Amino acid sequence: MRYMLPLLFLVALLAMLMLRGYVHSEILADHRIQPPTATDRVPERVLEGGPVIDARSTTEPAKTLRIPDHRIVLTFDDGPDPVWTPRVLDELKKYHAHGVFFVTGTMASRYPDLVERMVEEGHEVGLHTFNHPDLSYQSTGRIDWELSQNQLVLAGAAGIRTSLFRPPYSSFADAMDNKSWPVTQYVGSRGYLTVVNNTDSEDWKRPGVRAIIERATPKHGRGAIILMHDSGGDRSQTVTALGKFLPKMQHRGYEFTNLTAALGAPSAHTPVTGFALWKGKAFVWAVDVSEHITDVLVVGLAVIGVLVLARFGLMLLLSFAHARRVRGKGFRWGEPLTRPVSVLVPAYNESKCIANTVRSLVASDYPVEVIVIDDGSTDDTADLVDRMRLPNVRVVRQRNAGKPAALNNGIAHARYDIIVMMDGDTVFEPSTVRELVQPFADPRVGAVAGNAKVGNRDSLIGAWQHIEYVMGFNLDRRMYDMLGCMPTIPGAVGAFRRDALNRIGGMSEDTLAEDTDVTMALHRDGWRVVYAENARAWTEAPETVQQLWSQRYRWSYGTMQAIWKHRRAVVERGPSGRFGRVGLPFVALFMVVAPLLAPLIDVFLLYGLVFGPTEKTVGAWLGVLAVQAVCAAYAFRLDRERMTHLISLPLQQILYRQLMYVVLLQSWITALTGGRLRWQKLRRTGVVEAPGAMQDRRRSSNDRRPVA
């Protein structure tokens, strides 16, 4: 379910966007117009005949029909339009007049209620193709497609088929040429009457109401098929002209009627029943869904755009304020701390990493005791640490019970009041512990987050995570520090006051993100949680997509669990209420909800590249990338990192970010479907060594891990 639902969701979204592009003539559209050609292959009786061409017979020559005197067939092309078609219908209804609406499938599928109104009010409906192409350029297969899709829409909108057809870009019968005549013959063989016109109001030029009326008025009482438009632009002049033209011509004895009524023929409409009816209704419903989905996406894109820009702006502002504060000459947490601290290292099968981890702690310039809690490892992790025989390092063994249990066991064995926690695949710089514990000089501080950095950044996937850690994590922590709602003490480098941990019951096993869980609990208990930028720790990031997926899936799901666990803080009083009404919504919005909407930027990038406008779409996406690049560059400057790693930022946004989207979506589905996720052990290589050595070490080709 967790894999199928995201796939089905993406397929359905793609299908809806493709359908929208289709009904908006953004795909499969052909806007070429055939220039006039010779007419020597067109029968003379057609060129000199009436505006209705009947080429349906396979045994008899094509014939033409004229409208009887004092009868007018008003025809309206290119609709229905949500603004102008209702006003045209209102004018016709006001004067009890009828006409023929030649609708396109693209418009009729989007506004089926107007087609239904046309039929209910006694008007006739004809086909004007689906996408409005010049059919003289099209194959017979494409012509059949245009007609059948147009009929499908009529079935779904009004439950009818029609036998009337008007070619796009058509004119008078004498304008038929060697390119358009074969199309008329073929359409006739499919059972359609081809309807052109013999009076053109030229309302599409918007020449003025008086000019439209003059050009639409038949001469000498003759019958006429008058061409007008109810779509394709501003049709206010057409509507106004109808209000004057209808009563004027009725006063002269003209009757405004349907085409078949004027010719004394059976109705052009045939009821549709059975499967064809439901197929049409399903298509119209799908178009309606695609339109609404697109509207939702547009609103979502606007929301996420505002959120992204607001977040980046807030991040830059507060990060600048944080750096200025903690780097100021007069800044200090209090009297410098010198008393020893306990460092807990929970480890499960960390034999490749644990030696580097422990050595980095022993090299610390601050007094520490190191407790390695072996959580039932099946390799020689514990024995390896014992064989090292390092001072102030001891091993606590336990049966496999998970990381929270290992940390609680370590807390029970710790001698000192400040507890530093780190992962077994992480190394500290000599000054890390000292920098990490100094904020505890402030008695209000209950926990401190360190600066976790990616140690194995020599692969592409490692470089992407390096950008994410510097920009997405550490820059965020500066912002959250200033807001007083730090969401997570990283498991790789964090410190806690023992009293604070005891008051909240230690490390909880309720969620898969025990670091986020305990941090939120500390906020609710009234403790300050701060960020120490100089407390750097180098961690081994996942080196394959599968490992990265497993890690981020657990992080995302665990964060959701922690937010849900602490949801009651929203209605509580005191410190818990402040965190619940400020920190919890902020964390939920920017860590869970906004990232879920962020893919809309990329969805519209693809949509714009395929359907246009390409230049504006690319420009907008590059604008978002530029904002991110500015934030990333500032974050790298604050962390004193080389800017060369930002070269891969555009590729990260295209590829790496998509993986994070799918991971978050899968976490949402797991949460909503009640699924359970277990801890997953990542494969380690031990590539991250103590500071100094790690910068110069180069892995051999045999040790290099694939990106995907």
Side-chain angles (χ1 to χ4, degrees), residues 641-684:
E641 292 285 350
R642 290 185 301 170
M643 297 291 180
T644 53
H645 288 98
L646 292 178
I647 295 174
S648 64
L649 179 63
L651 195 59
Q652 186 213 39
Q653 297 301 301
I654 295 174
L655 299 178
Y656 181 82
R657 197 171 60 179
Q658 314 310 317
L659 176 64
M660 297 299 102
Y661 294 158
V662 178
V663 168
L664 184 59
L665 180 61
Q666 190 179 22
S667 300
W668 268 100
I669 293 172
T670 301
L672 294 175
T673 57
R676 295 183 63 84
L677 185 64
R678 301 180 64 182
W679 270 87
Q680 298 167 348
K681 171 64 181 174
L682 300 181
R683 182 166 59 97
R684 300 302 185 186

Side-chain angles (χ1 to χ4, degrees), residues 196-218:
V196 287
N197 69 87
N198 59 2
T199 304
D200 189 352
S201 69
E202 297 186 358
D203 62 335
W204 59 275
K205 294 181 179 179
R206 286 185 287 177
V209 173
R210 176 179 296 181
I212 292 175
I213 294 175
E214 289 177 356
R215 294 168 186 175
T217 303

Side-chain angles (χ1 to χ4, degrees), residues 230-295:
D230 63 327
S231 185
D234 184 353
R235 296 292 172 245
S236 58
Q237 291 184 7
T238 302
V239 173
T240 304
L242 281 173
K244 298 179 179 180
F245 182 67
L246 289 170
K248 173 183 176 181
M249 300 309 293
Q250 286 175 340
H251 181 72
R252 293 185 181 181
Y254 277 89
E255 179 184 358
F256 292 91
T257 182
N258 292 333
L259 178 66
T260 55
L263 298 175
S267 173
H269 295 169
T270 303
V272 176
T273 59
F275 177 73
L277 176 63
W278 289 108
K279 183 180 177 181
K281 289 184 177 296
F283 182 81
V284 170
W285 174 83
V287 171
D288 183 60
V289 172
S290 71
E291 290 288 311
H292 284 87
I293 284 180
T294 306
D295 292 341

